[in-house]
Amino acid sequence: DWQSNRHAESTAPKSPYFSEATTQPGTGNLVVWNTLAPRVGVVYDLLGDSKTLLKASYNRYVWQMWVDKGVQASAAGDRQARHTWNDLNGDRLFSPNELGVLLSASDPSKNPVRIDTNLKPIITDEISAGGTRELAANFSVSGTFHYRKDKNLTWRVNPNVTAVDYTKVVGRDPGPDGALGTSDDGGVIDFYNIAVEKRGLSPNLITTWNGFDQEFLGVEITLYRRFANNWQFVGSYTGGVQRENYAPGTLTQIGGSGLQTPQDVDKKNGTRIAESKPRIVKLMGSYALPRGFILSAFYQNLSGDNFTREVNSASAGVGTLNQGNIVALANERSRDSYDSLNVLDFRVAYEVKLGQARSMQLVLDIFNTLNINTVTSQVLTSGSRYGQVVSFVPPRIVRCGTRFSF
């Protein structure tokens, strides 16, 4: 597999916040990947009766090289500046003359972003092993062990910013209410204040995050009933953990193969990735009624995402730091979880034959039949809005449709 990334000539226009237009001339290839992605599988008939099969496979996947790396490294790429806001007229509406102190900046035209010439392709290695057994006519059970690792992940750092450029400032957890001196106050929280002369240095090197990977370890069990006697069914359970891994020593370093900033000290080796699903249960089935009617249902039980309450430096009593009002975790990363989701979808279909080769199907779908409203995300920063719902499972939806086959 061959992939490359290059610049085409482009221009970033000037704006009220960036007074100069910037042009990025066209270039040759910035990164070239020549990769090999082998995939192999084997199936063995254990008893020779084609009813008990053992299966194993190894697959390597090379991630696609998206244009984002070239965009980030372009002098005409995205430019951002973060300032304090001085609301001079008190109207709570921002205008360019109300820009305050510069807190951070990302401007590749002034602080060029480069791509490491040794940037490695991001790779996923997957190993699966298991077996399938036919229990009865049209009915089988299977079990599969899965192991998957993502490595050579990319990050963006600034080699000119190191641990010595940060000073630890100790604050106190104000609790969920965001107010110090109340009954829900917690323990101390460490914040890291960057040196004034370094706060305008944005990450300017796109490189491989050595010593960091993500992995999944799990098992999947499936019951399968092929369509016969007007009905079919599939049920599956997937259980496992997806986690972040850090090589020994990397959690004590800043930059290189360590952490991006000291504020990342809350990261722990083996921590579950917040959006991962340790438990997934799926039940699907359909039944063909007389006169062309078909009933089908799909049920899912999914683990809720993990989350952690956050505290900003201002509410922790240390004020706004040189890089702004930054946020730290109040507890161990991914300590809490949202409630599990139990979603049931239902369908009724009616098929009408329109000659030998054509048919029309009338469909009635009911999504979220039970009309659950489980919360899927909320405000996590301590304060008056802590716990406020941001998103939840959408309400019941009924959809009618027609499908033609010819």
Side-chain angles (χ1 to χ4, degrees):
D1 188 16
W2 181 88
Q3 299 184 67
S4 69
N5 212 317
R6 68 180 69 184
H7 285 315
E9 182 172 330
S10 58
T11 300
K14 66 179 182 179
S15 73
Y17 313 107
F18 299 96
S19 58
E20 299 177 358
T22 303
T23 298
Q24 168 65 55
T27 68
N29 293 327
L30 300 173
V31 182
V32 175
W33 288 345
N34 290 292
T35 56
L36 182 67
R39 300 174 191 179
V40 60
V42 62
V43 179
Y44 178 69
D45 184 356
L46 183 63
L47 302 178
D49 59 0
S50 301
K51 292 185 177 182
T52 303
L53 305 178
L54 300 181
K55 305 177 182 180
S57 66
Y58 164 76
N59 300 283
R60 167 164 285 190
Y61 306 96
V62 179
W63 291 27
Q64 183 172 346
M65 184 188 294
W66 297 103
V67 298
D68 65 314
K69 294 179 178 61
V71 170
Q72 292 179 63
S74 170
D78 294 341
R79 296 183 284 179
Q80 300 177 6
R82 186 164 165 258
H83 297 255
T84 57
W85 173 25
N86 299 321
D87 190 9
L88 300 177
N89 55 13
D91 63 355
R92 302 188 65 81
L93 297 175
F94 176 75
S95 57
N97 67 319
E98 295 179 335
L99 285 176
V101 176
L102 177 67
L103 299 175
S104 62
S106 177
D107 186 350
S109 66
K110 296 180 179 178
N111 184 23
V113 176
R114 63 184 179 90
I115 301 175
D116 188 345
T117 55
N118 296 315
L119 185 71
K120 300 175 184 177
I122 304 176
I123 290 173
T124 295
D125 285 321
E126 183 180 64
I127 298 174
S128 299
T132 301
R133 171 66 183 173
E134 182 181 341
L135 302 177
N138 303 314
F139 188 74
S140 65
V141 60
S142 67
T144 307
F145 165 82
H146 296 283
Y147 175 77
R148 183 171 63 249
K149 175 178 280 189
D150 304 325
K151 58 185 180 181
N152 298 340
L153 296 166
T154 301
W155 69 341
R156 186 170 152 183
V157 295
N158 192 320
N160 297 318
V161 179
T162 65
V164 299
D165 297 313
Y166 291 89
T167 302
K168 183 168 75 172
V169 182
V170 179
R172 187 170 182 83
D173 178 10
D177 65 4
L180 289 171
T182 57
S183 59
D184 66 349
D185 287 2
V188 298
I189 296 181
D190 294 335
F191 294 87
Y192 292 84
N193 195 13
I194 195 170
V196 173
E197 63 272 16
K198 294 294 183 76
R199 65 184 175 188
L201 297 182
S202 59
N204 62 354
L205 174 64
I206 300 172
T207 186
T208 299
W209 192 346
N210 296 311
F212 172 75
D213 62 63
Q214 298 176 342
E215 67 176 359
F216 172 81
L217 187 68
V219 64
E220 181 179 21
I221 300 173
T222 304
L223 295 173
Y224 181 62
R225 205 274 186 183
R226 289 185 294 183
F227 186 78
N229 300 322
N230 297 325
W231 70 282
Q232 63 183 345
F233 171 81
V234 179
S236 67
Y237 167 82
T238 303
V241 61
Q242 187 176 7
R243 59 196 178 196
E244 299 176 339
N245 294 324
Y246 298 85
T250 57
L251 291 175
T252 59
Q253 304 172 21
I254 305 301
S257 60
L259 304 175
Q260 194 164 30
T261 76
Q263 204 61 57
D264 292 332
V265 293
D266 51 62
K267 292 184 176 179
K268 305 292 183 184
N269 186 48
T271 298
R272 171 191 159 191
I273 297 174
E275 298 79 15
S276 63
K277 305 293 183 187
R279 182 190 68 259
I280 301 175
V281 177
K282 296 182 179 180
L283 303 175
M284 297 169 282
S286 65
Y287 187 82
L289 295 168
R291 301 182 182 277
F293 286 95
I294 300 175
L295 301 180
S296 58
F298 177 34
Y299 167 79
Q300 296 182 86
N301 173 266
L302 308 173
S303 299
D305 290 349
N306 277 11
F307 69 91
T308 309
R309 182 169 58 84
E310 302 171 345
V311 175
N312 61 48
S313 56
S315 65
V318 300
T320 300
L321 306 184
N322 290 331
Q323 65 269 43
N325 188 14
I326 66 170
V327 170
L329 299 184
N331 302 300
E332 182 180 342
R333 182 178 293 271
S334 296
R335 191 190 74 169
D336 301 310
S337 295
Y338 294 107
D339 291 339
S340 299
L341 305 182
N342 292 280
V343 183
L344 175 64
D345 299 331
F346 187 73
R347 165 176 284 193
V348 180
Y350 175 67
E351 188 169 12
V352 180
K353 295 292 184 181
L354 303 174
Q356 281 191 321
R358 299 177 206 153
S359 64
M360 178 182 71
Q361 192 176 63
L362 304 176
V363 179
L364 174 67
D365 288 315
I366 306 176
F367 301 102
N368 189 12
T369 306
L370 303 178
N371 203 31
I372 66 169
N373 59 354
T374 308
V375 173
T376 55
S377 67
Q378 62 189 37
V379 175
L380 299 178
T381 306
S382 294
S384 60
R385 296 181 62 241
Y386 175 74
Q388 180 176 316
V389 174
V390 174
S391 63
F392 53 89
V393 177
R396 182 189 299 121
I397 297 174
V398 178
R399 182 180 67 185
C400 300
T402 303
R403 183 169 62 186
F404 291 93
S405 300
F406 54 91

